[in-house]
Amino acid sequence: MIAALTEREVEMLQAAQTLRDGIDSGELHLIPQQPDETDDTGSTGVEGRLLRRWALFRERDPKLRRLKIQKVQRSGRPLQCEVCSFNFADTYGSLGEDYIEVHHVTPLHISGTRETKLDDLACLCANCHRMCHRSRSGESWRTPEALRAMIRRSTPDTPHAASASAS
Ligand SMILES: [Zn+2]
Ligand SMILES: [Zn+2]
């Protein structure tokens, strides 16, 4: 309990420092508000919204995105979600070819401002990406690995197709 509180405090101090860096560099002011930023729980503070905006802005760096996608393709692995294996091309045909969302595994307020390496990035589908960033009380983000564990826990043993045909 105390350890968790201390950890939270460290996280908040790091977040504050990251925000100061962003304001000092002017980078934060250049980022437009995201249309989906209003939190449905109303519990997300200003810092949370700013940090999320900044993280998403960084993730949209076209060069990083391209390099990450190229790295996966050169490795011979399919370009698919690292959490749920969703493959845009399989579902949307040529429209989804070469498409994936690129996500910072560790958010900026933990890693601090630093140069992003390709290994810091994960390929995610749009749904899993949102779920990694979604905040809820006491929890502001989760890694793709943690999200994968949550999916396994909540998926019933019987496949969806079987329960759908039974109803
Ligand atoms: Zn996914
Ligand atoms: Zn992300």
Side-chain angles (χ1 to χ4, degrees):
M1 178 68 183
I2 290 168
L5 281 175
T6 310
E7 211 170 281
R8 183 84 193 120
E9 196 179 327
V10 169
E11 199 179 298
M12 281 167 69
L13 287 171
Q14 280 168 329
Q17 184 57 51
T18 304
L19 279 172
R20 270 196 296 275
D21 292 347
I23 290 163
D24 289 349
S25 70
E27 200 177 21
L28 211 48
H29 295 298
L30 298 171
I31 307 165
Q33 193 168 338
Q34 304 298 309
D36 55 354
E37 257 183 358
T38 318
D39 195 275
D40 44 23
T41 63
S43 64
T44 309
V46 174
E47 331 79 70
R49 284 202 298 276
L50 283 169
L51 286 166
R52 182 154 45 173
R53 195 188 297 174
W54 199 6
L56 290 170
F57 173 79
R58 288 262 175 111
E59 286 172 359
R60 284 174 189 141
D61 178 343
K63 189 183 70 193
L64 270 183
R65 238 186 80 77
R66 205 165 47 240
L67 288 174
K68 177 68 182 179
I69 289 173
Q70 275 173 4
K71 190 183 175 190
V72 173
Q73 289 173 327
R74 284 191 187 137
S75 75
R77 282 176 290 146
L79 192 64
Q80 62 183 32
C81 177
E82 291 178 25
V83 172
C84 75
S85 303
F86 183 86
N87 184 313
F88 282 89
D90 284 355
T91 298
Y92 299 108
S94 61
L95 178 65
E97 209 74 61
D98 299 330
Y99 185 81
I100 201 79
E101 301 201 352
V102 172
H103 166 72
H104 278 275
V105 173
T106 307
L108 279 173
H109 66 285
I110 302 296
S111 65
T113 311
R114 64 185 178 126
E115 202 181 328
T116 302
K117 298 192 196 73
L118 293 184
D119 288 340
D120 300 331
L121 301 170
C123 294
L124 298 179
C125 75
N127 282 347
C128 292
H129 196 185
R130 280 298 162 94
M131 292 298 106
C132 280
H133 282 279
R134 189 174 190 209
S135 52
R136 57 179 185 182
S137 58
E139 205 188 338
S140 57
W141 60 283
R142 56 208 58 76
T143 62
E145 199 184 347
L147 187 66
R148 203 179 305 125
M150 291 170 90
I151 290 180
R152 273 202 301 268
R153 277 202 300 274
S154 61
T155 304
D157 291 337
T158 45
H160 288 300
S163 54
S165 62
S167 60

